Amino acid sequence: MASALRPPRVPRPKGVLPSHYYESFLEKKAPCDRDYKKFWAGLQGLTIYFYNSNRDFQHVEKLNLGAFEKLTDEIPWGSSRDPGTHFCLVLRNQEIKFKVETLECREMWKGFILTVVELRVPSNLTLLPGHLYMMAEVLAKEEARRALETPSCFLKVSRLEAQLLLERYPECGNLLLRPSGDGADGVSVTTRQMHNGTHVVRHYKVKREGTKYVIDVEEPFSCTSLDAVVNYFVSHTKKALVPFLFDEDYEKVLVASSSRLLILKPKKLPKAPAKPPKPPTGPKPEPKVVNGGLPRKLPASLAQPLFPTPGKGSAGSVRGRLPRRVTHAVRRGPTLQNALPFKALLSLS
């Protein structure tokens, strides 16, 4: 019996290894780690990617350098001298320690990180001319990449929303790029700084003129990209202005609607009535007796002659028709004598 035909085997496409500005083995120790972990690491743009091995295509961790502050040499704990294999990367919200194999490798990592962060080739490191040439090439690539890329501190928010973000999340930065409010092909820069003990918010216009961006300040400054606009404000304030960068925890808190931040407005309070409602009318009080005598006005049911004609009634029937107070007064006698005429006393006796 002929065996079933099998489809021809198709060779699996080989993955392409990611390209990096610089790559090597790197041991990393984050604040939550007890010891160093060894990775194959590569720098691309403003991100360091970490792989389990140099043959992997997919990274397992990554580190954004957008919150970069400084690089320092690290002396291992318990050692009296610097072996030249440890350095510390200080970010805005954390410090990460690294360990490499040689001093040359450490200087290479520091040099490439400073090149992409500060957009200049460092001159205070122990590097060879060939290393400096490699970093100059990386600098040109990074500038070309950023010219086509929107900075991470650019958010599609309005003027008011940008101001509220800087006020509510000061730990994320104090410089933010946003679309221009006049609808032109430009951007605006919103900053928030401390001045004379109070926070001051300022807005700057950045006009688009061809392929360049012109910052509208006292002396207009021209930039080749939006990233260069950010670097202008950071460098001219001696890093007092920090690009706004959301952490993942804050991004989960934001409420977005059509790629715009949603600002909740307070609910309108119910309007007060023009006139206060009239109080409910209750039963009219019973008329009072003046000076122990008869009431000023008797009810309609008792509106009949008080003194009957002879033969048409008796004293008992008159007492039955009088109000209770008058009836009690008849029984007491002396009080009624002060209120009734003398003839009425004779008819009741």
Side-chain angles (χ1 to χ4, degrees):
M1 187 173 180
S3 59
L5 296 176
R6 295 180 180 178
R9 291 184 178 181
V10 179
R12 296 179 61 183
K14 295 182 179 180
V16 179
L17 292 175
S19 61
H20 304 106
Y21 294 157
Y22 181 71
E23 56 187 6
S24 71
F25 283 104
L26 190 63
E27 296 186 37
K28 180 176 73 75
K29 182 181 179 181
C32 57
D33 297 333
R34 293 184 177 180
D35 202 358
Y36 287 91
K37 296 181 181 179
K38 191 173 184 179
F39 297 95
W40 178 260
L43 175 65
Q44 178 64 35
L46 286 175
T47 307
I48 301 178
Y49 297 93
F50 299 92
Y51 307 84
N52 288 327
S53 69
N54 56 355
R55 297 181 180 179
D56 290 346
F57 306 102
Q58 182 65 34
H59 62 271
V60 293
E61 295 182 19
K62 65 179 181 178
L63 181 63
N64 192 346
L65 301 177
F68 174 84
E69 289 190 356
K70 62 180 179 179
L71 281 171
T72 59
D73 295 335
E74 186 77 12
I75 299 177
W77 183 82
S79 178
S80 58
R81 63 184 183 87
D82 182 12
T85 57
H86 294 71
F87 67 98
C88 181
L89 174 62
V90 181
L91 302 178
R92 191 186 309 160
N93 52 359
Q94 61 178 334
E95 294 184 6
I96 302 176
K97 298 179 180 181
F98 295 100
K99 184 170 63 173
V100 293
E101 297 177 354
T102 62
L103 173 62
E104 179 184 354
C105 188
R106 185 184 75 172
E107 296 299 292
M108 291 287 285
W109 270 108
K110 291 169 57 178
F112 281 105
I113 291 175
L114 292 174
T115 298
V116 298
V117 170
E118 299 179 351
L119 289 180
R120 65 179 181 87
V121 178
S123 58
N124 58 346
L125 300 177
T126 308
L127 298 170
L128 298 175
H131 299 157
L132 297 176
Y133 179 77
M134 294 170 58
M135 293 176 188
E137 290 182 336
V138 168
L139 176 59
K141 293 180 181 179
E142 182 64 15
E143 289 177 344
R145 184 189 69 86
R146 295 196 189 184
L148 303 175
E149 189 178 56
T150 304
S152 57
C153 61
F154 179 86
L155 296 177
K156 293 182 179 180
V157 295
S158 64
R159 179 189 178 108
L160 176 60
E161 291 169 343
Q163 182 174 342
L164 291 177
L165 281 176
L166 296 180
E167 291 177 356
R168 295 179 181 178
Y169 307 101
E171 63 276 8
C172 294
N174 56 1
L175 183 150
L176 187 146
L177 267 67
R178 57 181 177 83
S180 178
D182 54 7
D185 188 15
V187 297
S188 296
V189 179
T190 302
T191 63
R192 183 174 182 263
Q193 283 183 282
M194 181 71 71
H195 182 69
N196 295 333
T198 58
H199 288 283
V200 179
V201 178
R202 292 187 175 93
H203 306 274
Y204 302 89
K205 287 185 177 181
V206 181
K207 300 178 182 179
R208 182 74 177 270
E209 296 182 359
T211 59
K212 295 184 178 181
Y213 296 89
V214 180
I215 304 174
D216 189 10
V217 288
E218 294 181 359
E219 297 181 2
F221 188 83
S222 179
C223 301
T224 57
S225 64
L226 290 178
D227 193 77
V229 173
V230 176
N231 291 334
Y232 170 84
F233 284 94
V234 174
S235 60
H236 279 69
T237 57
K238 296 181 180 180
K239 297 185 178 181
L241 290 176
V242 180
F244 192 84
L245 180 63
F246 259 130
D247 295 335
E248 294 182 358
D249 296 337
Y250 290 112
E251 290 178 356
K252 296 178 182 179
V253 177
L254 282 180
V255 181
S257 176
S258 300
S259 301
R260 292 183 61 85
L261 296 179
L262 179 61
I263 299 180
L264 300 178
K265 297 182 179 180
K267 296 181 179 180
K268 295 182 179 179
L269 297 177
K271 295 182 179 180
K275 295 182 180 180
K278 295 182 180 180
T281 57
K284 294 183 180 180
E286 187 176 331
K288 295 182 180 181
V289 179
V290 181
N291 295 331
L294 292 175
R296 294 180 180 180
K297 186 176 180 180
L298 294 178
S301 59
L302 298 179
Q304 47 186 323
L306 179 62
F307 308 109
T309 55
K312 290 187 179 182
S314 60
S317 61
V318 173
R319 285 193 194 97
R321 291 193 302 268
L322 287 176
R324 182 177 295 179
R325 293 181 183 179
V326 178
T327 305
H328 291 307
V330 172
R331 293 177 181 176
R332 285 196 295 267
T335 306
L336 187 63
Q337 292 177 2
N338 298 331
L340 298 177
F342 179 72
K343 293 182 179 182
L345 293 174
L346 292 179
S347 62
L348 293 175
S349 59

